[in-house]
Amino acid sequence: MEYENKLVLAPMVRIGTLPFRLLAAEYGADITYGEEIIDHKLVKCDRRLNEKIGSIDFVEKGTGSVVFRTCDEEKDRVVFQMGTSDAVRALMAAQMVCKDVAAVDINMGCPKSFSVSGGMGAALLTKPDLIHDILTTLRRNMSIPVTCKIRLLKSSQDTVELARRIEKTGVSALAVHGRKVPDRPRDPAKWSEIADVVASLSIPVIANGDVFEYDDFQRIKVATGTSSVMVARGALWNASIFCPKGKLPWEDVKREYVRKSILWDNDIKSTKHTLKEMIMHHSSLELPEGKAVTKSDSLVDLARLYGEEKSYDFFVKN
């Protein structure tokens, strides 16, 4: 896995599943992060080959639910992002997936209460010793790259100091979201503070924040000095943001997402959540399409709604 001059799909909870990662890669994403998976959850799973659809599934014991699904097609570019607050447990989880993914990333930026309350995500930003313990433990015992994703701290100097400490653990790259923990998505990303991190490190830095058009990739590169860029909402709203020739109509992108969700037997709740996020940006859930997605109970319902009956028939027959 190389981290220089890459376009990267950011990790997004309930969105970054296999169909969406493959969609982004099809449109030009070089590296695709999966949604954050909590280490507690993964260590309760069994690894299974799903011969029907050709995937590798990590299935929770007892419930039978698929916690993480991947496939050979994305093996060289998919990053498994983990939520953790313990080095030993993080290593156990990472060792379970290390042969099926290109790299492992530790989430140190999520400000959501479910993550922070468990000592994970952004809670790690105030625990540099624990960060060091987790990253060095993974680096010493893993043969694939280890990275992490952080947010900005209270001051640029604080962020740079933490980034330097992270670099010393031997990680292959560092992703920096240009917002602080209290910031909301509507607050402008602070590209200048990402630039301070880039100027202070020798490892690749992946800049993240306020990338909504293909031209923004070059803008943030110039502003920060980094060569790799990560995009979240811009990709959610139209995954073809990665296309150098410009975005495709979002209706086409949406339909292709539905097709891939059917072919890869994606969880219906996850599929509906992603579709509704797309629709809310471009339209409204109160219009007929939005209401129909909300009422859909299965992938076959979505197949009928988006004219993908052939994809569903293919899935059923195979």
Side-chain angles (χ1 to χ4, degrees):
M1 174 75 90
E2 299 293 333
Y3 290 93
E4 296 283 2
N5 199 30
K6 302 298 182 181
L7 302 184
V8 185
L9 175 69
M12 289 181 279
V13 173
R14 297 179 67 191
I15 292 165
T17 53
L18 178 59
F20 196 83
R21 297 195 303 267
L22 292 176
L23 184 70
E26 181 178 304
Y27 292 134
D30 302 301
I31 299 172
T32 55
Y33 280 58
E35 60 175 336
E36 177 195 29
I37 304 294
I38 307 302
D39 55 3
H40 283 288
K41 195 88 167 175
L42 192 71
V43 296
K44 297 176 183 176
C45 292
D46 287 323
R47 178 185 183 277
R48 299 179 188 173
L49 295 178
N50 187 328
E51 295 183 356
K52 180 178 180 180
I53 60 176
S55 66
I56 300 152
D57 297 348
F58 290 84
V59 181
E60 187 175 25
K61 300 172 186 176
T63 68
S65 63
V66 177
V67 172
F68 179 66
R69 171 169 286 163
T70 184
C71 66
D72 287 340
E73 184 181 336
E74 67 168 5
K75 186 176 181 179
D76 294 334
R77 64 171 173 269
V78 64
V79 177
F80 180 85
Q81 198 197 49
M82 186 192 311
T84 187
S85 60
D86 181 84
V88 174
R89 195 169 56 246
L91 180 60
M92 289 174 57
Q95 288 176 329
M96 290 179 65
V97 299
C98 64
K99 293 182 180 179
D100 299 304
V101 299
V104 170
D105 182 85
I106 301 301
N107 181 349
M108 299 182 183
C110 180
K112 302 291 186 181
S113 59
F114 75 86
S115 192
V116 175
S117 63
M120 302 175 291
L124 290 173
L125 296 175
T126 59
K127 301 175 182 178
D129 290 340
L130 180 54
I131 288 176
H132 181 270
D133 190 23
I134 292 171
L135 294 178
T136 53
T137 298
L138 292 175
R139 280 292 301 118
R140 289 169 182 166
N141 295 280
M142 303 285 291
S143 59
I144 61 175
V146 174
T147 62
C148 64
K149 183 171 185 281
I150 67 171
R151 281 189 172 233
L152 302 176
L153 300 184
K154 289 183 178 180
S155 73
S156 184
Q157 181 179 352
D158 289 341
T159 308
V160 168
E161 288 178 2
L162 178 64
R164 283 174 172 163
R165 184 158 186 178
I166 289 172
E167 181 179 41
K168 290 178 181 178
T169 67
V171 294
S172 298
L174 173 66
V176 181
H177 185 172
R179 290 184 175 86
K180 301 176 183 180
V181 173
D183 290 344
R184 301 277 66 87
R186 63 179 177 273
D187 297 318
K190 301 171 180 65
W191 289 359
S192 63
E193 294 193 29
I194 300 177
D196 292 338
V197 175
V198 175
S200 303
L201 303 187
S202 57
I203 60 172
V205 174
I206 306 170
N208 174 216
D210 289 353
V211 175
F212 302 113
E213 303 291 341
Y214 187 83
D215 290 347
D216 291 338
F217 287 122
Q218 186 59 31
R219 289 180 55 242
I220 194 171
K221 285 181 181 182
V222 171
T224 64
T226 189
S227 66
S228 293
V229 181
M230 176 180 281
V231 57
R233 288 177 296 158
L236 167 61
W237 297 336
N238 191 323
S240 65
I241 187 175
F242 296 103
C243 291
K245 295 181 180 179
K247 291 180 186 175
L248 300 176
W250 82 280
E251 290 86 355
D252 296 344
V253 175
K254 181 176 49 180
R255 190 173 294 110
E256 181 61 20
Y257 169 70
V258 171
R259 190 181 75 85
K260 281 179 166 54
S261 292
I262 293 168
L263 294 179
W264 291 100
D265 193 23
N266 199 44
D267 176 72
I268 182 62
K269 291 182 180 179
S270 169
T271 304
K272 286 175 60 175
H273 174 75
T274 301
L275 283 171
K276 288 195 284 187
E277 289 290 324
M278 293 179 183
I279 292 168
M280 283 190 292
H281 177 69
H282 294 276
S283 178
S284 169
L285 292 178
E286 297 305 313
L287 294 177
E289 179 191 6
K291 289 182 177 180
V293 169
T294 299
K295 291 179 180 178
S296 295
D297 293 322
S298 64
L299 290 174
V300 69
D301 290 338
L302 294 178
R304 292 177 183 135
L305 178 61
Y306 288 100
E308 288 295 334
E309 292 92 343
K310 289 184 179 179
S311 296
Y312 191 82
D313 290 343
F314 178 85
F315 166 72
V316 171
K317 291 177 183 178
N318 290 274

